Amino acid sequence: MPDSFIAERLPRALILGSTSRYRRELLSRLQLPFETVSPEVDETPLPGETPYDLSLRLARAKAQAVAKLHPGALVIGSDQVPEIDGQPLSKPGTHERATEQLRLMSGRQMNFHTGVCVACAETGFLQADVVTVQVRLRTLDDAAIERYLRAEQPYDCAGSAKSEGLGIALLDALTSDDPTALVGLPLIRTCQMLRTAGVVLP
């Protein structure tokens, strides 16, 4: 059997183009070996770019940036952009900014757009999509906001809440056909893309 034929049958390396511990934990659920590589991508929104389009563009850019460095690998890129009143919300970084975000979100419905892209430079494979989760927060007074932030300190989370943790207590409802998207990586859509790329999953 030719060596080239054997090489084509061997599974490609899988890379998560992200250093997010949330995405790493989610991808680990698939029980596939993978490594993580930090994508060097400018995340500044373009003039007039919607949060939906921003999440899609950045997911593609991250996957393609890492795929360029590792052309034989299959690379997953992802980016999440929360939206309220048509405007994106960033990671708060501080207690004060998280307080401001939760005050703004209190009692309101908003969208979390999570873009995902799977790319392989060697084969030219590229698929990308956005999964949107609609979230409605219950009405929060300052005391509730303070209790939550002191307990979980979600300052590295866009939207200032961890739905996979205590943050679920802040919600009245969430609607999505791919619920892990809210945590940072839509696993149902990711699995579909990986299967299309030839990855064997259960």
Side-chain angles (χ1 to χ4, degrees):
M1 185 177 294
D3 289 344
S4 60
F5 181 85
I6 296 173
E8 283 302 310
R9 289 294 179 264
L10 291 175
R12 291 184 178 275
L14 182 63
I15 297 177
L16 176 62
S18 172
T19 55
S20 163
R21 62 187 177 95
Y22 306 108
R23 292 192 179 102
R24 185 172 65 249
E25 289 167 2
L26 285 170
L27 188 58
S28 295
R29 295 187 191 180
L30 302 185
Q31 300 182 21
L32 295 171
F34 69 92
E35 60 179 301
T36 60
V37 174
S38 177
E40 301 301 322
V41 171
D42 182 359
E43 300 188 15
T44 305
L46 300 176
E49 190 172 36
T50 67
Y52 180 101
D53 289 340
L54 175 61
S55 69
L56 180 60
R57 179 175 64 83
L58 291 180
R60 281 178 176 156
K62 291 176 178 180
Q64 290 176 311
V66 175
K68 186 176 181 180
L69 299 174
H70 303 270
L74 204 57
V75 181
I76 300 170
S78 185
D79 193 83
Q80 184 182 81
V81 183
E83 173 188 11
I84 190 165
D85 297 331
Q87 299 300 312
L89 290 178
S90 60
K91 296 176 183 178
T94 67
H95 184 87
E96 292 71 25
R97 289 188 62 190
T99 300
E100 291 173 6
Q101 283 192 358
L102 289 177
R103 283 173 177 166
L104 175 65
M105 295 157 58
S106 174
R108 304 181 63 188
Q109 181 164 301
M110 58 185 297
N111 294 322
F112 283 74
H113 305 293
T114 304
V116 61
C117 178
V118 174
C120 178
E122 193 171 86
T123 64
F125 183 88
L126 180 70
Q127 284 196 351
D129 201 0
V130 176
V131 174
T132 297
V133 181
Q134 293 182 329
V135 175
R136 186 174 70 249
L137 269 74
R138 64 185 181 85
T139 300
L140 305 170
D141 58 26
D142 282 352
I145 291 173
E146 183 70 11
R147 284 196 304 273
Y148 170 68
L149 292 179
R150 294 299 181 190
E152 198 150 58
Q153 301 181 14
Y155 308 133
D156 61 344
C157 295
S160 303
K162 296 181 181 180
S163 64
E164 71 277 21
L166 181 59
I168 198 71
L170 304 182
L171 308 186
D172 267 341
L174 65 85
T175 304
S176 176
D177 57 5
D178 200 342
T180 61
L182 188 56
V183 184
L185 184 66
L187 283 181
I188 294 174
R189 190 70 187 96
T190 300
C191 286
Q192 291 169 347
M193 292 179 179
L194 291 174
R195 288 190 187 100
T196 302
V199 177
V200 176
L201 288 164

